[in-house]
Amino acid sequence: MSKSKWIWYPGSFELYHGMLLHNRRTSSRAYEDGSVKSLYYYPMWRVDGPRHNSILIKTAEISKREIIEFYANTELARITVDDTSYPVGAKITLEPGRHTVCVQGFKECGFPCYYIKGNVFASDRTYLVEERDEKAGRHAGESELYTELNDNPEVFKFAYTPIFPLVTERLEGGTLYDFGKESFGPVTVKIPKDGYVDIFLGESREEALDTKYSQIVLNANIEDGSYTSLPVAFRYIYIPNVFDATVTASLEYLPLESKGSFKCDNEEINKLWEVCAYTMLLNSREAFFDGIKRDRWVWGGDAYQSFFVNYYLANDKEIVKRTIRMLRGADPIFKHINTICDYTFLWLCGIWEYYLYTGDRSFLEDIYPEMLDMWNFISGRLDKDSLYERKPDDWVFIDWSTFDSNGPMCAEQMLLCRACQCISLCAKELGDVDTVSEFEKRHLYIKEQINQRYWSDSKGAFIDDYKSGKNNVTRHANIFALLFDYTTNERKEQIIKNVIYNKEITPITTPYFEFYELDAMCAIGDFEYVTNMLDSYFLGMLRLGATTIWEEFDPEKSGIEHYEMYGGKYEKSLCHAWGASPIYLLGKYALGVMPTGVGYKSYIVKPNLMSFNEIEGKVPTPNGEIYVKADKKQVLVLSPISGGTLIIDGKEYEIKKNELLTVEL
Amino acid sequence: MSKSKWIWYPGSFELYHGMLLHNRRTSSRAYEDGSVKSLYYYPMWRVDGPRHNSILIKTAEISKREIIEFYANTELARITVDDTSYPVGAKITLEPGRHTVCVQGFKECGFPCYYIKGNVFASDRTYLVEERDEKAGRHAGESELYTELNDNPEVFKFAYTPIFPLVTERLEGGTLYDFGKESFGPVTVKIPKDGYVDIFLGESREEALDTKYSQIVLNANIEDGSYTSLPVAFRYIYIPNVFDATVTASLEYLPLESKGSFKCDNEEINKLWEVCAYTMLLNSREAFFDGIKRDRWVWGGDAYQSFFVNYYLANDKEIVKRTIRMLRGADPIFKHINTICDYTFLWLCGIWEYYLYTGDRSFLEDIYPEMLDMWNFISGRLDKDSLYERKPDDWVFIDWSTFDSNGPMCAEQMLLCRACQCISLCAKELGDVDTVSEFEKRHLYIKEQINQRYWSDSKGAFIDDYKSGKNNVTRHANIFALLFDYTTNERKEQIIKNVIYNKEITPITTPYFEFYELDAMCAIGDFEYVTNMLDSYFLGMLRLGATTIWEEFDPEKSGIEHYEMYGGKYEKSLCHAWGASPIYLLGKYALGVMPTGVGYKSYIVKPNLMSFNEIEGKVPTPNGEIYVKADKKQVLVLSPISGGTLIIDGKEYEIKKNELLTVEL
């Protein structure tokens, strides 16, 4: 591996690719004259671009002579060594001693990147942002993906695999191509006649054939008998009035290794795990997407759950870091992340959990000042009691459900409280004692306020809003209370009885919130609830032919009713990342692997068969995969790292590095 | 003229062109191996780029059917009329009634611009920034320069005139081309042999010939016998070792009409006025530059003076507005304008004066919230007494001179005070009474503090710093006190005696501060001082052969000593905008024209012959030029606007619109 990496102004790489991806969404629109047009779809929040200027600097003492070579992706760049400047392409000898190397440049399109071959002065994160470029003392941006001189950080490194239709069906009005499963990538259509052709895509057969309401149309211009689209999502492709086309595609994806795995004696569950992994693969791109047909955007809440799935599937650090930076955007912070207050709180939580699962201290150091900036934004919008209350610009989301949500919502206080706890945990790691003390206090204070203001003795549950007088109970805040351990055991028992197992309380319909519900139920040890939900809810989709997990699922609906959402006939996404949570749940609670110290410095393995007879799988850590196999007679664990403890029925066994541990039951 | 204008997110046009121009500077560097390279020169402050996304919206009632046509400079754009969206190129009929039209788009390079043909919904400033794009309620950006569909706001509209060398001189080492005067534009070199050739430019003959120290080198690659450079500044061009080249150039300039004029019976002064006008022409571009060889940047203090010169030369509104927006940059405000605190204060003053000279209320409305944001930045950095005190990041400039400048400087308080006064004046025009009251109070308070803390009875002058104990006196704060009328008449008289006419106080060496000194002396009616300075200082440069005004002039120096600055042999700019002040001084104090009501709603003409026997000229107002002619016997005034008063020896005469007023003396 090269010693050097391409470097840039911190955040520019992520903001550049974020800007491009957030502006690639289209939607189709049918007009009265019968035409159907593909229209650019504007993002719902401010999308920041990269810095077009940057200046990065490093001072160090070298004991050996060093030759450095300077490269940049722009001619408008220079390197300055001590007091002498040189153009791009310069090769400079540094004698032993103390030197300062500074690179600077401008690029109108894209963003300036620099590459310095050398030893101590090889380009990497140890270069700092120079003071005139705003905040001082920050590290240069870099990525593990761009370490070779001929890499281009402006081109995102995807992999491509050719794919073909499994079934080609000649219908009366045209030809339908079925690729067999949800796919994403550029589509190529060859027709022996030039001109404009409309190509309709569908995640479902019905959508592709419904030329008036299908979400994605390609207004293709066939030249020299061929047309290739930008990358799009599809399973079905329908071309009206054309019967002699050849349709192929490329699967475009980020080649993340699935280091995690899970098998059990229930084949449907094994298939579910694979479908979840494929759903994740499609949505794991420049950052974690929500869905690949719609929105193809990065939403903080969706991404937050993808982080957890990632820790049990690939444990790829780079995609989490990119997602965090993309969500953060540039200064000034003017609205909540994606305009949603809960997503801002989750963004803060996600950083602590990233550190817990990866132990990546460099990133924690880099992002920590941005966390504090985010807090400053939040704190300027708290109410007089230092609690969260909706402001006119805020989107209070929590979930697609009906809440009593005009006032200060209980679920938001729960997330605010957890965000404060996570800031305090991060501050502790970095030795920022004043911040630890402030946020530990805030966390305890908010927890107390939640229990005082929102608990209803008559309902035996947390209510949505203590001000409105409606005493409305939904599952969401109560689930957070279980998940974050924010109330007494006695109240938890009441919540389980009065909310979770109470069919009168509106059930969760999105896999998004199902994630939190199942996580909470596992956290309190109720695995039956989980396996029932895996069966009725997740396998429910698979039994209807889903090849990826949907945005929402209501077992009561039938036929194309399933595809309707937001008032659009096919607007529901049929490949939505937030449905991949079974990977996380099975890895964390069935295989039972979870870090207890940062970066798996210490960890536990607490396998649970749930409703299965045997389970087997791997969980990726920053330093290799932990293998776990369990049935009713024995438990096997093999781990490449030390610090582990196997727990069975409360009894603890030390897991020695690279030694197979077998416990007979 | 077209009803429609190209529109964009406010500020994007200015930030885009500002980004490009601030990154075009180069400097040359000679290496030990004999090579000389042209190197990119990084700006000294954060340079912001345009927004790559924008969304603009307008709601209006129409009484007649209207057909609109939508165009954009990007395919990634859509127009939404009420609830229906259309792609670029759409033609849509609006029936009488209330409609909402919204345009939105993305452009990776450059910035998205929209053009809507129509009547009520024709694109112009009346479109507003939509709320998701940060601050709501702001008007779309537009420019008088881009009103036709085939205009391209990403290409700045310069004019070009071919120019040729007046003298071609074959020297021993190569060929020298003299274009006769300072010029700016692309240079074309034709040589009957391809390959690399170094071309040395000079504002002076000595600079062009000094291949080691000349500031600008073109490392030209001759292809097909020809090379054309990017626009550069030069009078002389030297090509070593080449004797068969043909060298031509294009003068690139903004075709601003010189509506102002000045003639007197002193031919040297008449020539000076023309040289000043030419200096201004070269520096009037996307915005007002400091100098065209160096820095080719927009500096707030330099631009501030160019505003005044402009009001007496072209009274072009567009270039002032562009300059103000470019200086403002994007959010967040993190450092002072150009990092210089005085320039931030002057930026605020410049807005009021722009309004006074132009009466452009639309721009005042648009920029007013930005003024308040700027004040928020300033106020977070004031000391406990609400006065300005240097912060570590601040560059306290005032002038190239030696000050006692580590503490709270008197000259800075003067500018702070004037800035508060100007905010209050702007707020008054817009009816923002709370702000008027706050800033009128601040202005009076600071004035009082200045007179209490900085006046030295023993020196009979304002001192630089009241804390240091040094009691150092420089001209600068004392000049501001005269200019802004911030002290008593008695103290003013002391200042004139103890500072202005005191040769022991270091004289001003920059035309920059000479502007303020002469303005102040004129304001208090001492015209002899001015005519002496015009002769000894400004004509001093012309007598040395200057074809444009220099950045600095010290009559004591000789030969190439004149070209040295900042430690560089030829680093001084020989075409510096801040030298053009005689245009302002002669227009305002000799012709005597000045607005007393906003936009020349009322104005006075108070001619003064100074040391001349006769004067004649024109001063441009927003509605035509005021003509003034005066000699020792009579005064003539002809004005296209009403509201004017001619004042001679304290006697007032009404100036009637379009009627020649003659007063015999």
Side-chain angles (χ1 to χ4, degrees):
Chain A
M1 202 179 101
S2 163
K3 204 177 164 58
S4 307
K5 293 173 186 161
W6 281 95
I7 56 172
W8 48 73
Y9 183 87
S12 277
F13 172 74
E14 294 82 0
L15 292 184
Y16 176 70
H17 290 288
M19 178 179 83
L20 295 184
L21 76 89
H22 280 105
N23 286 289
R24 279 188 195 128
R25 179 174 174 186
T26 61
S27 64
S28 72
R29 163 96 207 169
Y31 297 94
E32 284 174 11
D33 65 1
S35 67
V36 184
K37 297 284 177 208
S38 176
L39 288 171
Y40 165 73
Y41 198 103
Y42 197 84
M44 295 172 75
W45 47 83
R46 192 185 85 197
V47 173
D48 296 313
R51 288 283 300 269
H52 296 293
N53 273 103
S54 57
I55 175 162
L56 303 168
I57 194 164
K58 174 171 179 166
T59 298
E61 183 100 22
I62 53 173
S63 54
K64 282 192 304 190
R65 172 185 288 195
E66 176 169 343
I67 296 172
I68 61 175
E69 286 176 54
F70 173 56
Y71 301 94
N73 68 345
T74 167
E75 281 300 305
L76 296 177
R78 80 199 290 179
I79 187 169
T80 305
V81 177
D82 302 323
D83 289 325
T84 309
S85 295
Y86 305 86
V88 175
K91 202 166 171 173
I92 308 137
T93 303
L94 307 186
E95 299 299 332
R98 191 173 177 80
H99 296 284
T100 295
V101 172
C102 175
V103 292
Q104 42 188 265
F106 166 68
K107 195 156 187 284
E108 182 197 338
C109 303
F111 59 103
C113 303
Y114 316 96
Y115 193 89
I116 303 163
K117 289 190 185 176
N119 184 27
V120 171
F121 284 99
S123 50
D124 65 14
R125 175 181 173 273
T126 60
Y127 278 73
L128 299 177
V129 172
E130 209 252 26
E131 198 212 342
R132 83 185 69 171
D133 256 13
E134 301 184 66
K135 304 171 190 164
R138 290 183 302 156
H139 293 274
E142 60 166 40
S143 161
E144 294 297 336
L145 295 178
Y146 300 90
T147 58
E148 299 300 327
L149 180 56
N150 63 1
D151 284 339
N152 180 358
E154 289 176 5
V155 175
F156 201 82
K157 278 197 169 178
F158 289 115
Y160 295 88
T161 302
I163 53 174
F164 306 93
L166 297 190
V167 180
T168 301
E169 203 175 339
R170 184 176 170 145
L171 304 171
E172 210 164 303
T175 313
L176 180 73
Y177 305 85
D178 175 8
F179 281 72
K181 61 179 177 180
E182 180 87 23
S183 303
F184 186 86
V187 170
T188 297
V189 174
K190 291 186 196 290
I191 303 181
K193 203 178 114 191
D194 286 1
Y196 287 90
V197 170
D198 288 338
I199 301 166
F200 294 88
L201 306 180
E203 292 191 300
S204 64
R205 179 186 169 93
E206 293 86 344
E207 183 184 8
L209 291 173
D210 193 341
T211 56
K212 193 164 174 193
Y213 292 105
S214 126
Q215 288 279 305
I216 308 292
V217 62
L218 304 172
N219 301 126
N221 183 14
I222 312 282
E223 286 180 296
D224 297 330
S226 182
Y227 162 83
T228 296
S229 74
L230 290 173
V232 283
F234 62 94
R235 171 177 166 176
Y236 297 91
I237 295 178
Y238 178 58
I239 314 182
N241 307 317
V242 171
F243 302 94
D244 53 356
T246 308
V247 177
T248 56
S250 254
L251 185 72
E252 178 184 280
Y253 64 102
L254 184 69
L256 289 181
E257 198 187 335
S258 283
K259 297 171 185 166
S261 65
F262 180 82
K263 288 265 181 245
C264 66
D265 56 314
N266 179 332
E267 277 309 318
E268 275 196 313
I269 293 293
N270 292 345
K271 190 183 165 201
L272 173 64
W273 197 95
E274 294 300 334
V275 167
C276 289
Y278 185 62
T279 303
M280 269 301 278
L281 176 80
L282 291 179
N283 281 293
S284 301
R285 297 175 52 80
E286 296 94 330
F288 286 118
F289 280 34
D290 59 337
I292 58 161
K293 173 176 82 173
R294 213 216 75 244
D295 303 323
R296 294 173 60 183
W297 288 341
V298 185
W299 290 89
D302 307 54
Y304 179 69
Q305 297 193 348
S306 290
F307 295 166
F308 284 109
V309 174
N310 171 61
Y311 301 137
Y312 287 90
L313 185 61
N315 208 344
D316 181 63
K317 290 193 288 188
E318 296 295 316
I319 191 171
V320 181
K321 290 194 283 184
R322 290 195 303 269
T323 304
I324 288 171
R325 287 227 187 246
M326 233 177 256
L327 289 168
R328 168 61 173 81
D331 289 325
I333 304 176
F334 187 78
K335 290 198 178 174
H336 281 289
I337 286 177
N338 311 125
T339 77
I340 299 177
C341 49
D342 8 333
Y343 287 9
T344 302
F345 305 146
L346 290 174
W347 183 83
L348 290 163
C349 302
I351 292 169
W352 163 250
E353 287 141 4
Y354 171 76
Y355 186 54
L356 177 64
Y357 274 92
T358 66
D360 178 355
R361 195 179 166 94
S362 297
F363 184 70
L364 184 65
E365 285 170 7
D366 288 353
I367 207 73
Y368 182 69
E370 312 274 342
M371 294 179 83
L372 300 185
D373 281 353
M374 191 62 88
W375 177 260
N376 285 339
F377 166 74
I378 293 170
S379 69
R381 299 164 73 90
L382 295 180
D383 71 9
K384 61 173 178 34
D385 301 319
S386 297
L387 296 177
Y388 173 79
E389 184 159 4
R390 174 184 226 142
K391 293 264 183 266
D393 281 349
D394 294 1
W395 178 356
V396 173
F397 175 64
I398 297 297
D399 192 16
W400 294 123
S401 193
T402 309
F403 301 106
D404 177 11
S405 69
N406 288 320
M409 268 187 78
C410 185
E412 296 292 350
Q413 316 306 343
M414 296 272 184
L415 294 178
L416 178 69
C417 185
R418 174 72 186 153
C420 290
Q421 192 177 9
C422 288
I423 293 174
S424 147
L425 288 165
C426 291
K428 200 167 172 185
E429 287 295 322
L430 297 175
D432 178 358
V433 288
D434 291 347
T435 305
V436 174
S437 138
E438 179 192 341
F439 284 87
E440 192 41 38
K441 257 186 234 148
R442 281 190 186 275
H443 153 227
L444 295 174
Y445 165 79
I446 301 168
K447 191 151 70 178
E448 193 190 309
Q449 295 301 311
I450 289 170
N451 277 282
Q452 274 179 20
R453 295 176 191 231
Y454 291 93
W455 183 260
S456 160
D457 278 328
S458 63
K459 301 272 183 176
F462 287 106
I463 54 174
D464 285 352
D465 180 344
Y466 69 92
K467 277 187 177 171
S468 70
K470 294 182 188 165
N471 290 333
N472 191 52
V473 175
T474 51
R475 290 175 182 259
H476 305 77
N478 290 288
I479 286 169
F480 285 144
L482 298 178
L483 185 60
F484 302 145
D485 193 15
Y486 280 173
T487 195
T488 61
N489 286 338
E490 193 238 315
R491 286 186 175 181
K492 283 187 200 166
E493 276 167 35
Q494 290 193 57
I495 288 171
I496 293 168
K497 179 170 146 270
N498 299 325
V499 183
I500 307 291
Y501 281 110
N502 181 354
K503 295 218 155 112
E504 314 240 306
I505 305 291
T506 314
I508 304 294
T509 61
T510 60
Y512 174 62
F513 221 90
E514 205 52 77
F515 172 95
Y516 297 118
E517 185 171 54
L518 297 180
D519 199 6
M521 294 306 282
C522 286
I524 60 170
D526 186 337
F527 298 108
E528 196 188 335
Y529 190 84
V530 176
T531 46
N532 285 341
M533 283 302 294
L534 287 179
D535 187 81
S536 66
Y537 188 86
F538 288 93
L539 291 179
M541 285 181 253
L542 263 60
R543 286 168 197 144
L544 290 174
T547 61
T548 45
I549 308 293
W550 302 348
E551 183 174 13
E552 192 187 49
F553 176 61
D554 181 349
E556 304 296 310
K557 290 186 177 168
S558 71
I560 68 163
E561 278 174 21
H562 282 298
Y563 308 142
E564 187 275 336
M565 207 170 172
Y566 310 110
K569 212 167 157 187
Y570 305 100
E571 207 161 331
K572 186 177 290 169
S573 157
L574 299 191
C575 177
H576 229 64
W578 69 24
S581 59
I583 289 172
Y584 162 73
L585 296 167
L586 293 169
K588 184 169 174 188
Y589 297 111
L591 300 178
V593 177
M594 58 191 106
T596 50
V598 291
Y600 279 91
K601 209 166 156 183
S602 62
Y603 63 96
I604 56 169
V605 179
K606 204 175 164 184
N608 192 298
L609 284 175
M610 295 186 172
S611 63
F612 312 119
N613 291 308
E614 51 181 83
I615 55 175
E616 179 181 13
K618 286 192 279 188
V619 172
T621 79
N623 298 297
E625 292 86 53
I626 299 168
Y627 169 82
V628 180
K629 187 176 194 305
D631 59 24
K632 292 186 172 165
K633 292 186 196 145
Q634 64 172 13
V635 174
L636 303 179
V637 180
L638 179 61
S639 170
I641 52 172
S642 54
T645 305
L646 174 67
I647 304 177
I648 301 173
D649 293 334
K651 206 169 159 197
E652 301 192 350
Y653 308 84
E654 188 191 348
I655 304 166
K656 290 191 179 137
K657 185 174 165 176
N658 292 329
E659 277 183 31
L660 183 69
L661 172 63
T662 309
V663 177
E664 304 294 336
L665 304 176
Chain B
M1 202 179 102
S2 164
K3 205 176 164 58
S4 309
K5 293 174 185 159
W6 281 95
I7 57 173
W8 48 73
Y9 183 87
S12 276
F13 171 73
E14 294 82 1
L15 292 185
Y16 177 69
H17 290 288
M19 177 180 83
L20 295 184
L21 76 87
H22 279 105
N23 285 289
R24 281 189 195 127
R25 179 173 174 185
T26 60
S27 65
S28 72
R29 163 97 207 166
Y31 297 93
E32 283 175 13
D33 65 1
S35 67
V36 184
K37 296 284 178 209
S38 175
L39 289 172
Y40 165 72
Y41 199 103
Y42 196 84
M44 294 171 76
W45 47 83
R46 192 186 83 197
V47 172
D48 296 313
R51 288 283 300 269
H52 296 293
N53 273 103
S54 57
I55 175 161
L56 303 168
I57 194 163
K58 175 172 180 165
T59 298
E61 184 99 22
I62 53 174
S63 54
K64 283 192 304 189
R65 174 184 287 193
E66 176 169 343
I67 295 172
I68 61 174
E69 286 175 55
F70 172 57
Y71 301 94
N73 68 345
T74 166
E75 281 301 304
L76 296 177
R78 79 199 291 179
I79 187 169
T80 306
V81 177
D82 303 323
D83 288 326
T84 310
S85 295
Y86 305 86
V88 175
K91 202 166 171 172
I92 308 138
T93 303
L94 306 186
E95 299 299 333
R98 190 173 177 79
H99 296 284
T100 295
V101 172
C102 174
V103 293
Q104 42 189 263
F106 166 69
K107 195 156 186 284
E108 183 196 338
C109 302
F111 59 102
C113 303
Y114 316 97
Y115 192 89
I116 303 163
K117 289 190 184 176
N119 184 27
V120 171
F121 285 99
S123 51
D124 65 13
R125 173 181 174 273
T126 60
Y127 279 73
L128 299 177
V129 172
E130 209 254 25
E131 197 213 342
R132 83 185 72 170
D133 257 14
E134 301 183 68
K135 303 170 190 165
R138 289 184 302 157
H139 293 275
E142 59 166 40
S143 161
E144 295 297 338
L145 295 178
Y146 300 90
T147 59
E148 300 299 328
L149 180 56
N150 63 1
D151 283 340
N152 180 358
E154 289 176 5
V155 176
F156 201 81
K157 278 198 168 178
F158 288 115
Y160 295 88
T161 301
I163 52 174
F164 306 94
L166 298 190
V167 182
T168 300
E169 202 175 339
R170 184 176 170 144
L171 304 171
E172 211 165 301
T175 312
L176 179 73
Y177 305 85
D178 175 7
F179 281 71
K181 62 178 176 179
E182 181 87 23
S183 305
F184 186 86
V187 171
T188 297
V189 174
K190 292 187 196 289
I191 304 181
K193 204 178 116 190
D194 287 1
Y196 287 92
V197 170
D198 288 338
I199 300 167
F200 294 87
L201 306 180
E203 293 191 298
S204 64
R205 178 186 170 92
E206 293 86 344
E207 183 184 7
L209 292 173
D210 193 339
T211 56
K212 193 164 173 192
Y213 291 105
S214 127
Q215 288 279 303
I216 308 291
V217 63
L218 305 172
N219 301 127
N221 183 14
I222 312 283
E223 286 181 295
D224 296 329
S226 182
Y227 163 83
T228 297
S229 74
L230 290 173
V232 282
F234 63 94
R235 170 175 168 177
Y236 297 90
I237 295 178
Y238 178 59
I239 314 182
N241 306 316
V242 170
F243 302 94
D244 52 356
T246 308
V247 177
T248 57
S250 255
L251 185 71
E252 178 182 281
Y253 65 102
L254 184 69
L256 290 182
E257 198 187 336
S258 283
K259 299 172 184 165
S261 65
F262 181 82
K263 287 267 181 243
C264 67
D265 56 312
N266 179 334
E267 278 310 317
E268 275 196 314
I269 294 292
N270 293 345
K271 190 185 165 199
L272 173 64
W273 196 95
E274 295 299 334
V275 167
C276 288
Y278 185 63
T279 303
M280 269 301 279
L281 176 81
L282 291 179
N283 282 293
S284 301
R285 297 176 51 81
E286 297 95 330
F288 287 118
F289 280 34
D290 60 337
I292 58 161
K293 174 177 82 173
R294 212 216 75 243
D295 302 321
R296 294 173 60 183
W297 287 342
V298 185
W299 291 89
D302 307 54
Y304 179 70
Q305 299 194 347
S306 291
F307 296 167
F308 285 107
V309 174
N310 171 60
Y311 301 136
Y312 287 90
L313 184 62
N315 207 345
D316 181 64
K317 291 193 288 187
E318 296 295 314
I319 191 171
V320 181
K321 290 194 284 183
R322 290 195 302 269
T323 304
I324 288 171
R325 286 226 187 248
M326 231 177 258
L327 288 168
R328 168 63 173 79
D331 288 325
I333 305 176
F334 187 77
K335 290 197 178 174
H336 281 288
I337 287 177
N338 311 125
T339 76
I340 299 177
C341 49
D342 7 335
Y343 287 9
T344 302
F345 305 145
L346 290 174
W347 183 84
L348 291 162
C349 302
I351 293 169
W352 163 250
E353 286 140 3
Y354 171 76
Y355 186 56
L356 178 64
Y357 275 93
T358 66
D360 178 356
R361 195 179 166 95
S362 297
F363 184 70
L364 184 65
E365 285 169 7
D366 288 352
I367 206 74
Y368 182 69
E370 313 274 342
M371 293 179 84
L372 299 186
D373 281 351
M374 192 63 87
W375 177 260
N376 284 339
F377 166 75
I378 293 170
S379 69
R381 299 163 74 89
L382 296 180
D383 71 10
K384 61 176 178 32
D385 300 320
S386 296
L387 296 177
Y388 174 78
E389 184 160 3
R390 173 184 227 143
K391 293 263 183 266
D393 280 350
D394 295 359
W395 178 357
V396 172
F397 175 62
I398 298 296
D399 191 16
W400 294 124
S401 192
T402 308
F403 301 106
D404 176 10
S405 69
N406 288 322
M409 269 187 77
C410 185
E412 296 292 351
Q413 316 305 344
M414 296 271 185
L415 294 177
L416 178 69
C417 186
R418 175 72 186 153
C420 290
Q421 192 177 6
C422 289
I423 292 174
S424 148
L425 288 164
C426 291
K428 200 168 172 184
E429 287 295 322
L430 297 175
D432 179 358
V433 288
D434 291 348
T435 305
V436 173
S437 138
E438 180 191 342
F439 284 87
E440 192 42 38
K441 255 186 236 149
R442 280 189 187 275
H443 153 227
L444 295 174
Y445 164 79
I446 301 168
K447 190 150 69 178
E448 192 191 309
Q449 295 301 310
I450 289 171
N451 278 281
Q452 274 179 21
R453 295 176 190 232
Y454 291 93
W455 182 261
S456 161
D457 279 327
S458 63
K459 301 271 183 177
F462 287 106
I463 54 173
D464 285 352
D465 180 344
Y466 70 91
K467 277 189 178 170
S468 71
K470 292 182 188 164
N471 290 333
N472 191 52
V473 174
T474 52
R475 291 177 178 257
H476 304 78
N478 290 287
I479 287 169
F480 285 144
L482 298 178
L483 184 62
F484 301 145
D485 192 16
Y486 280 173
T487 195
T488 61
N489 286 338
E490 194 239 316
R491 285 186 174 180
K492 282 187 200 165
E493 278 168 32
Q494 290 195 58
I495 288 170
I496 293 167
K497 178 169 148 270
N498 300 324
V499 182
I500 306 292
Y501 281 109
N502 181 355
K503 297 218 154 110
E504 314 238 308
I505 305 291
T506 315
I508 305 293
T509 61
T510 60
Y512 174 62
F513 221 89
E514 205 53 78
F515 172 95
Y516 297 117
E517 184 170 52
L518 297 180
D519 199 6
M521 294 307 281
C522 288
I524 59 170
D526 187 338
F527 298 109
E528 194 188 338
Y529 190 84
V530 176
T531 46
N532 285 342
M533 283 303 293
L534 287 180
D535 187 80
S536 66
Y537 188 85
F538 287 93
L539 291 179
M541 284 181 253
L542 263 62
R543 288 171 195 141
L544 290 175
T547 62
T548 45
I549 307 292
W550 301 349
E551 181 174 15
E552 191 187 48
F553 176 60
D554 181 350
E556 305 295 311
K557 289 186 176 170
S558 73
I560 66 164
E561 277 174 22
H562 282 297
Y563 308 142
E564 186 275 336
M565 207 169 172
Y566 311 110
K569 213 169 156 186
Y570 306 99
E571 207 161 331
K572 185 176 290 169
S573 157
L574 299 191
C575 176
H576 228 64
W578 70 23
S581 59
I583 290 173
Y584 162 73
L585 296 168
L586 294 168
K588 183 169 175 188
Y589 298 111
L591 300 177
V593 177
M594 59 190 107
T596 51
V598 289
Y600 280 90
K601 209 167 157 182
S602 63
Y603 64 95
I604 56 169
V605 179
K606 204 176 164 184
N608 192 298
L609 284 176
M610 296 186 171
S611 64
F612 312 120
N613 291 308
E614 50 181 85
I615 57 174
E616 178 181 14
K618 285 193 279 187
V619 172
T621 79
N623 297 297
E625 291 87 53
I626 300 169
Y627 169 82
V628 180
K629 186 175 193 311
D631 59 24
K632 292 184 173 168
K633 292 185 195 146
Q634 65 172 14
V635 174
L636 303 179
V637 180
L638 178 61
S639 169
I641 52 173
S642 54
T645 305
L646 174 66
I647 304 178
I648 301 173
D649 293 333
K651 209 170 156 195
E652 301 193 350
Y653 306 85
E654 189 192 346
I655 303 166
K656 291 193 178 136
K657 185 173 163 177
N658 292 328
E659 277 182 32
L660 184 68
L661 172 64
T662 309
V663 177
E664 304 294 335
L665 305 177

